[in-house]
């Protein structure tokens, strides 16, 4: 690291420069700097959601591109993910601070064979912030875990995340098993993850594909409201 970089004082940067620097720090896996950047933006009055999307998710997109292109490798991406999680941990309680009453319960996990959890964690945070109760099943979940947890938690929503083209078909295994057990309609099934699209969501029988965490919240609210209305009418 050059002396110039060594001396860099994050709080001296304007917002745009700071976000740019946070992209670099995320890329370099510098957790403490990311945490400091998040705190500075909060002090400057940025909304937690804006910090999450513009500074953290934005930075991770750059990491993703260079990972795809073979410029970054797994160890570096793990460090970047760790730095991102440091920033997310600061934002989590703030996003959940809306004080909204619980409007539904969701169990969510990454599917079997898949260990990516940043997107899932982000969805969990945003759902909690919107007033949902969330039970996070973690990563690498077999079908039994989803089904048992949904029943045990009396969940309204089953959420599944997959980041690999090789693991996304597993979502259909879970839904097919729910159909087989006659419990499919007991739950709203939401799916998401970078390689998915709307067509895939429909093809596997999910209630909705969610492009990002904000869409997941909207879909969940919408589908819960529809369910309540249907029940009230029936
Ligand atoms: Co992985 N990885 N990775 N990786 N990784 C991808 C997914 C990849 C696209 C990179 C690339 O090549 N460009 C590629 C997949 C290619 C493919 O399948 N076509 C890939 C690969 C190949 C792999 C390995 C196989 C690499 C290897 O070992 N050779 C390996 C697989 C391990 C496994 O799972 N079995 C692997 C490992 C890893 C790390 C461990 C290093 C790390 C994960 C760390 C962690 O999650 N704790 C990692 C990372 C970080 C990535 C990238 C760079 C970033 C993913 C991420 O966190 N994005 C990723 C490239 C990319 O996606 N651009 C890549 C940020 C996050 C906020 O976005 O997860 O899309 P995302 O979530 C969004 C939406 O998709 C949606 O909302 C979220 C928030 O807006 N959403 C949901 C997600 N889940 C949802 C669930 C819902 C609703 C919405 O339910 C209701």
């Amino acid at each position: 690291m050059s002396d110039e970089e060594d001396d860099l004082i994050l709080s001296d940067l304007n917002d745009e420069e700071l976000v740019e620097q946070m992209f670099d720090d995320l890329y370099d896996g510098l957790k403490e700097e990311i945490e400091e950047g998040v705190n500075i933006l909060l002090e400057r009055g940025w909304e937690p959601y804006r910090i999450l999307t513009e500074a953290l998710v934005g930075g991770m997109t750059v990491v993703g591109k260079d990972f795809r292109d073979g410029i970054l490798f797994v160890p570096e991406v793990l460090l970047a993910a760790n730095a991102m999680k440091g920033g997310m941990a600061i934002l989590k309680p703030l996003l959940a601070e809306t004080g909204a009453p619980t409007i539904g319960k969701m169990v969510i996990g990454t599917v079997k064979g898949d260990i990516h959890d940043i997107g899932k964690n982000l969805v969990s945070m945003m759902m909690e912030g919107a007033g949902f109760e969330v039970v996070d099943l973690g990563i690498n979940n077999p079908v039994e875990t989803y089904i048992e947890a949904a029943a045990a938690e009396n969940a309204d929503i089953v959420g599944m995340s997959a980041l690999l083209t090789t693991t996304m078909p597993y979502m259909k295994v879970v839904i097919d098993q729910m159909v087989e057990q006659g419990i499919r309609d007991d739950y709203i099934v939401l799916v998401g993850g970078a390689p998915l699209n709307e067509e895939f969501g429909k093809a596997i029988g999910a209630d909705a594909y969610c492009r990002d965490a904000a869409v997941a919240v909207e879909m969940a609210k919408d589908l819960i409201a529809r369910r309540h209305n249907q029940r009230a009418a029936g």
Side-chain angles (χ1 to χ4, degrees):
M1 194 185 272
S2 71
D3 282 352
E4 197 184 319
E5 277 172 328
D6 238 356
D7 291 343
L8 190 69
I9 295 170
L10 292 182
S11 55
D12 284 349
L13 304 176
N14 68 31
D15 286 8
E16 200 182 322
E17 290 164 345
L18 178 57
V19 169
E20 200 59 38
Q21 183 60 40
M22 286 173 73
F23 279 21
D24 287 350
D25 289 344
L26 196 70
Y27 195 94
D28 294 335
L30 301 176
K31 188 177 176 198
E32 276 177 25
E33 282 76 356
I34 287 298
E35 288 167 348
E36 191 186 342
V38 167
N39 282 325
I40 293 170
L41 289 173
L42 282 171
E43 277 161 25
R44 293 185 187 172
W46 277 45
E47 292 293 328
Y49 180 65
R50 185 172 170 212
I51 302 175
L52 194 62
T53 50
E54 291 186 25
L56 299 184
V57 177
M60 202 44 144
T61 307
V62 183
V63 172
K65 280 190 189 128
D66 280 4
F67 188 31
R68 180 196 59 209
D69 297 341
I71 298 165
L72 286 179
F73 297 96
V74 171
E76 289 121 330
V77 178
L78 266 178
L79 281 176
N82 188 45
M84 171 136 179
K85 284 184 179 179
M88 281 165 67
I90 297 172
L91 298 175
K92 184 176 175 175
L94 304 173
L95 285 163
E97 227 173 42
T98 56
T102 298
I103 46 178
K105 191 169 190 181
M106 175 175 79
V107 294
I108 185 169
T110 306
V111 297
K112 189 174 170 183
D114 202 322
I115 62 165
H116 294 86
D117 67 355
I118 294 176
K120 166 189 70 62
N121 295 348
L122 225 155
V123 172
S124 300
M125 278 165 53
M126 296 283 295
M127 291 285 290
E128 280 175 354
F132 285 87
E133 196 179 335
V134 177
V135 178
D136 189 339
L137 306 175
I139 55 172
N140 195 21
N141 284 290
V143 53
E144 302 79 30
T145 308
Y146 285 106
I147 289 178
E148 283 165 23
E153 298 292 344
N154 197 15
D156 303 292
I157 304 170
V158 174
M160 289 187 272
S161 179
L163 264 286
L164 299 171
T165 45
T166 48
T167 56
M168 59 191 241
Y170 196 77
M171 293 174 160
K172 183 165 177 341
V173 173
V174 177
I175 294 175
D176 285 353
Q177 185 62 34
M178 290 168 85
V179 172
E180 201 162 296
Q181 293 189 12
I183 56 167
R184 168 63 187 87
D185 293 339
D186 295 349
Y187 306 102
I188 294 164
V189 178
L190 300 181
V191 295
L196 279 63
N197 57 33
E198 203 155 342
E199 204 184 346
F200 176 80
K202 280 205 185 100
I204 62 168
D207 289 294
Y209 153 70
C210 309
R211 189 181 65 243
D212 58 31
V215 170
V217 168
E218 286 317 309
M219 285 294 178
K221 279 186 185 165
D222 190 37
L223 290 166
I224 288 264
R226 268 195 242 174
R227 271 186 140 204
H228 283 311
N229 292 342
Q230 273 165 5
R231 283 185 183 156

